[in-house]
Amino acid sequence: MIPGLSGGSDSSGSFPCRGTDELLGVMDQVTIINSTLGKALGGASGGYTTGPEPLVSLLRQRARPYLFSNSLPPAVVGCASKALDLLMESNTIVQSMAAKTQRFRSKMEAAGFTVSGASHPICPVMLGDARLASRMADDMLKRGIFVIGFSYPVVPKGKARIRVQISAVHSEEDIDRCVEAFVEVGRLHGALP
């Protein structure tokens, strides 16, 4: 387990943290961590397992994905390592992400959209209709906002959505501009009154 992680509640009551074990307050009970080098650590590829040396040695000899995969590119490893260093040094990035996520979610809900989940930086804007999600995502891109429409078979039928991913590099102005574009496009396509 990585020592030194600590979380705290912000004024909104959400709990900015650096992982599920911190969120649930069980860091001292977790011995093995399986995770990805994807979205949270820069959007690269690959993943990792941490744990006791005997487990890591066993996985190196027996894990099929490990045996039949190419190693990660050095640039991916370097970027992920730096991202982990930044997260270990300070809770500032995590708190900033929580504030940006809350800003987006609250403004979208105030505008009349339904955003699935709670306090996660991946914010599914629920629309239901696949064609609507696709057309709105296309129109968002025309306004300089890159979002992805998801529909069946990626998500259940009738649960089409546009997935928005809040990033550490987004500013408050970026968040507000995104919400304004959603409102404009939502009204254009009849998703909002």
Side-chain angles (χ1 to χ4, degrees):
M1 193 64 223
I2 301 171
L5 292 179
S6 64
S9 182
D10 66 14
S11 61
S12 69
S14 67
F15 190 81
C17 64
R18 289 164 274 200
T20 304
D21 51 343
E22 184 178 3
L23 175 68
L24 298 176
V26 295
M27 290 178 56
D28 59 339
Q29 300 171 40
V30 175
T31 304
I32 301 167
I33 297 175
N34 240 357
S35 196
T36 176
L37 300 175
K39 298 170 195 75
L41 293 176
S45 63
Y48 63 92
T49 300
T50 66
E53 179 59 33
L55 171 71
V56 172
S57 294
L58 176 68
L59 290 175
R60 284 186 175 139
Q61 296 303 314
R62 301 290 177 114
R64 293 178 62 83
Y66 186 86
L67 295 173
F68 299 108
S69 295
N70 293 325
S71 62
L72 292 173
V76 170
V77 174
C79 289
S81 181
K82 182 61 177 179
L84 287 169
D85 288 345
L86 292 170
L87 290 172
M88 294 301 293
E89 289 170 11
S90 167
N91 208 20
T92 303
I93 293 171
V94 176
Q95 290 172 341
S96 172
M97 284 289 298
K100 292 171 187 177
T101 299
Q102 178 59 33
R103 182 181 191 94
F104 177 79
R105 286 178 173 275
S106 63
K107 286 182 172 258
M108 287 291 285
E109 289 168 0
F113 287 102
T114 299
V115 183
S116 185
S119 71
H120 195 281
I122 296 176
C123 303
V125 179
M126 304 304 291
L127 298 169
D129 181 79
R131 180 170 283 169
L132 175 62
S134 177
R135 287 182 176 166
M136 283 182 61
D138 289 346
D139 281 350
M140 292 290 288
L141 185 57
K142 291 175 187 172
R143 288 159 176 79
I145 310 289
F146 180 62
V147 291
I148 302 293
F150 281 65
S151 59
Y152 181 82
V154 177
V155 297
K157 287 183 180 180
K159 301 281 186 177
R161 64 200 67 188
I162 293 177
R163 188 180 76 179
V164 178
Q165 185 173 323
I166 306 301
S167 164
V169 298
H170 287 132
S171 67
E172 289 185 355
E173 293 77 21
D174 293 332
I175 302 292
D176 294 347
R177 189 170 142 255
C178 180
V179 172
E180 289 167 11
F182 259 108
V183 169
E184 182 182 333
V185 169
R187 287 182 179 146
L188 177 71
H189 290 280
L192 290 178

